[in-house]
Amino acid sequence: MEFRHLGRSGLMVSEISYGNWITHGSQVEEDAAKECVRAALDEGITTFDTADVYAGTKAEEVLGRALKGIRRESLEIFTKVYWPTGPGPNDRGLSRKHITESIHGSLRRLQTDYVDLYQAHRFDHETPLEETLKTFDDLVRQGKVLYVGVSEWSADQIARALRIADEMGFDRLVSNQPQYSMLWRVIEAEVVPLSEKEGLGQIVWSPIAQGVLTGKYLPGQPPPAGSRATDPTGGGFISRVLANDVLTRVQDLKPIAADLGLTMAQLAVAWVLQNPNVSSAIIGASKPEQVRDNVKAAGVKLDAEVLKKIDDVLGPVVERDPAKTVSPEKRP
Ligand SMILES: NC(=O)c1ccc[n+]([C@@H]2O[C@H](COP(=O)([O-])OP(=O)(O)OC[C@H]3O[C@@H](n4cnc5c(N)ncnc54)[C@H](OP(=O)(O)O)[C@@H]3O)[C@@H](O)[C@H]2O)c1
């Protein structure tokens, strides 16, 4: 495993991290979840990403149990707050009340005294930014949270937060967690340049587009049995990237991966890691062998010729529009 700084902070993270959205507490049984975490640890992954909302808070519990007994100093545990975790109007968003209640729930479920990184899972248009940032700062001072970051915030939202933090002396954001893959490059135009200037690192999600970039979804064919596309929850999320023109072009990446001696998943993870503003690529897995496969992307270098071939194959199906980074206008 190779390690990178989280943005300009002193914190080191494994350049491939493990996340448990869709899987833990939902798609996969607890034994399989624990085997995936074990495989991640065996392969040198030290950074684990979850969220209060995953599997209605059950994902944090599963991760807490799976990491029990591991030396805490050898782990970086990341979680998030924003999406609803209960029925009430205060069980969501980035208010002082919800953030404070949510972190306490997360710490209890994860069985830890602190999380290494606490992330605002989306921008909350219904809470003053000062209120959110002051609450994050308080949690840092209380030692419950070591670093703060955001997820899927636009460049403008990040810039506003940094300005307030500097004016008020609050702890600064060190990271953003956006979707990023060969197919989804919307951060490149605005978020990455701002982040480079301001010292934020990207912790990128769905680097293999939820499994699509493995090439296992064939155009015009039903999805393979047991894949995310067949899962009641996962199926809804992955359907957005299962368009036939995307799947057809992805098949044409196979010779590029083969020439490099890489699997398709390794090529996809290696691709996001070529961006120096990426601190870590968060991989998901329903089986331990997927972790063992994908983690071999660590340290792989892709030259300019390979990157150009990938661009030529994918052509118009690559999404680059920075306006696609959006948070709900009203809290969900
Ligand atoms: N901040 C946010 O808003 C946000 C949103 C989404 C995700 N995330 C984070 O990012 C993490 C990763 O997201 P993701 O799970 O979508 O990432 P991903 O790595 O793009 O997709 C993972 C899925 O692809 C399939 N897969 C992986 N490796 C494979 C292989 N070698 N061969 C065949 N299939 C393979 C598996 O699904 P099947 O086996 O079921 O097909 C696996 O669960 C999440 O756990 C979460 O921590 C954050």
Side-chain angles (χ1 to χ4, degrees):
M1 182 52 60
E2 311 247 336
F3 294 83
R4 297 185 182 193
H5 278 273
L6 182 58
R8 214 181 278 153
S9 81
L11 182 68
M12 304 300 289
V13 293
S14 49
E15 69 175 21
I16 297 179
S17 43
Y18 174 85
N20 71 355
W21 176 56
I22 305 283
T23 52
H24 291 193
S26 181
Q27 182 193 6
V28 306
E29 298 297 331
E30 180 130 350
D31 284 355
K34 284 186 172 158
E35 279 177 42
C36 287
V37 170
R38 190 68 255 169
L41 291 164
D42 289 348
E43 295 294 336
I45 289 178
T46 58
T47 306
F48 291 84
D49 183 74
T50 186
D52 56 355
V53 68
Y54 293 168
T57 70
K58 290 205 289 287
E60 286 185 332
E61 286 176 15
V62 174
L63 188 63
R65 286 194 288 271
L67 291 175
K68 203 168 165 61
I70 307 294
R71 182 175 174 268
R72 182 65 184 85
E73 294 83 347
S74 306
L75 299 170
E76 301 83 47
I77 301 178
F78 298 177
T79 194
K80 319 186 194 76
V81 57
Y82 169 84
W83 294 102
T85 49
N90 281 316
D91 294 325
R92 61 204 68 218
L94 299 176
S95 67
R96 172 171 283 270
K97 177 169 170 65
H98 182 56
I99 291 175
T100 305
E101 289 167 350
S102 186
I103 189 67
H104 289 138
S106 293
L107 295 177
R108 195 178 59 246
R109 291 186 291 269
L110 288 163
Q111 303 186 48
T112 181
D113 298 331
Y114 64 91
V115 291
D116 296 272
L117 180 72
Y118 202 38
Q119 303 158 102
H121 210 156
R122 289 297 182 273
F123 188 84
D124 181 359
H125 294 279
E126 297 185 54
T127 301
L129 202 38
E130 290 82 352
E131 177 178 336
T132 298
L133 297 172
K134 174 80 167 73
T135 309
F136 274 5
D137 191 63
D138 288 344
L139 295 180
V140 172
R141 282 163 201 266
Q142 291 164 15
K144 292 173 182 165
V145 161
L146 303 189
Y147 296 89
V148 290
V150 297
S151 174
E152 290 293 335
W153 282 27
S154 67
D156 175 59
Q157 290 160 347
I158 294 170
R160 279 162 55 199
L162 293 172
R163 234 173 3 248
I164 292 170
D166 290 347
E167 276 168 26
M168 310 291 287
F170 296 156
D171 211 63
R172 272 184 135 235
L173 303 177
V174 296
S175 62
N176 177 45
Q177 186 176 131
Q179 181 177 178
Y180 188 51
S181 71
M182 287 177 199
L183 294 170
W184 192 265
R185 309 188 193 178
V186 306
I187 56 170
E188 288 181 350
E190 296 175 2
V191 169
V192 167
L194 174 81
S195 298
E196 281 172 342
K197 181 164 151 270
E198 296 288 351
L200 279 77
Q202 312 300 319
I203 309 154
V204 305
W205 58 268
S206 296
I208 61 167
Q210 303 192 51
V212 167
L213 286 168
T214 64
K216 71 180 178 180
Y217 295 100
L218 301 173
Q221 309 254 337
S227 63
R228 182 174 294 185
T230 62
D231 178 67
T233 309
F237 286 103
I238 198 176
S239 62
R240 302 170 195 167
V241 267
L242 287 177
N244 260 338
D245 56 344
V246 174
L247 301 186
T248 304
R249 284 174 186 270
V250 166
Q251 291 303 310
D252 293 337
L253 294 173
K254 285 184 171 167
I256 301 177
D259 278 354
L260 296 166
L262 299 173
T263 66
M264 287 280 278
Q266 290 161 3
L267 178 68
V269 176
W271 186 91
V272 299
L273 291 173
Q274 304 310 299
N275 185 329
N277 191 232
V278 170
S279 297
S280 188
I282 321 172
I283 58 165
S286 63
K287 301 180 185 73
E289 358 2 321
Q290 294 173 346
V291 177
R292 287 192 279 269
D293 174 4
N294 304 3
V295 89
K296 295 194 179 65
V300 169
K301 298 276 172 287
L302 303 177
D303 64 28
E305 200 187 324
V306 169
L307 298 176
K308 166 128 191 4
K309 276 192 209 160
I310 291 171
D311 290 351
D312 290 345
V313 165
L314 294 177
V317 301
V318 175
E319 182 58 67
R320 298 174 193 272
D321 181 2
K324 297 271 174 179
T325 297
V326 273
S327 294
E329 273 307 312
K330 296 214 77 67
R331 281 185 200 152

